[in-house]
Amino acid sequence: MAFGSSIVMDQPRTMFAHVLSVQGTAVVVTNHRVQPLPMRPQEGSSTGKLVCQACGQQFLVTVHSCARTTAKRVRYFVLGLTGLALAALLLWLTFDVAMQPDGSDLDTDPDTASWYGYTGMTGILLPIFGLGYLINARKYDGVGKLRRIGEDGTPSIRTAGHKLLPSR
Ligand SMILES: [Zn+2]
């Protein structure tokens, strides 16, 4: 299953970026100055300090180990597959109900109508969640949120002008 457990490297693929300029109003052109994140720890998670090479501000970012990142990807992958499988099962059940010989006057049967409403909603939501998890399984890079260390030394979620660029 190469999809769910593609190899996690010691160096996160996510990059730290200092946003240099944003130009225009209709078309936003953004230039970044990127630098790599701290290496992953051998196990568990570690919060590393990052100094922006462009402006010298200090940031904190949590990076998870290869094992932890892989485990999370596998979990997303399994959740995604389960969602899709359940959706397929619901679809199958719905069509099975519809094809029963005595189910021809479905519109007048309140039980079957509510069954349709129920499976309809779930049948739409499950594949969406399932696909979302599958995409996450591929993109998850084991990197936490970026925090900026303010002048008083306390971490802040306001990282004005800086962000993490997700991996492709
Ligand atoms: Zn900067």
Side-chain angles (χ1 to χ4, degrees):
M1 44 185 258
F3 188 73
S5 59
S6 49
I7 297 166
V8 179
M9 306 299 282
D10 282 337
Q11 177 70 60
R13 285 179 300 163
T14 303
M15 300 291 272
F16 170 80
H18 173 98
V19 181
L20 287 176
S21 63
V22 180
Q23 298 155 349
T25 48
V27 181
V28 178
V29 180
T30 313
N31 291 311
H32 301 113
R33 178 168 169 153
V34 295
Q35 62 192 82
L37 295 184
M39 301 290 272
R40 298 186 194 284
Q42 283 298 312
E43 52 188 37
S45 310
S46 77
T47 300
K49 193 189 271 187
L50 203 65
V51 179
C52 179
Q53 288 168 2
C55 67
Q57 285 192 74
Q58 295 186 328
F59 295 85
L60 288 175
V61 66
T62 301
V63 180
H64 302 303
S65 69
C66 290
R68 189 171 276 203
T69 303
T70 305
K72 195 90 173 260
R73 279 192 195 179
V74 170
R75 206 175 308 153
Y76 281 140
F77 187 71
V78 170
L79 277 171
L81 279 192
T82 308
L84 290 183
L86 279 176
L89 180 70
L90 275 177
L91 270 179
W92 178 76
L93 283 175
T94 307
F95 278 109
D96 203 42
V97 169
M99 281 197 263
Q100 279 171 11
D102 57 348
S104 52
D105 52 352
L106 289 173
D107 293 331
T108 58
D109 189 337
D111 285 346
T112 317
S114 63
W115 166 252
Y116 266 96
Y118 179 70
T119 54
M121 276 302 290
T122 321
I124 291 168
L125 289 178
L126 271 179
I128 293 174
F129 282 122
L131 282 176
Y133 276 120
L134 283 183
I135 291 168
N136 249 330
R138 198 170 165 75
K139 288 173 77 174
Y140 182 71
D141 200 26
V143 175
K145 286 223 167 18
L146 187 67
R147 297 269 189 278
R148 184 170 62 87
I149 303 177
E151 270 111 61
D152 53 356
T154 54
S156 156
I157 57 167
R158 289 161 193 249
T159 59
H162 299 80
K163 60 180 178 179
L164 293 175
L165 292 179
S167 54
R168 301 265 158 89

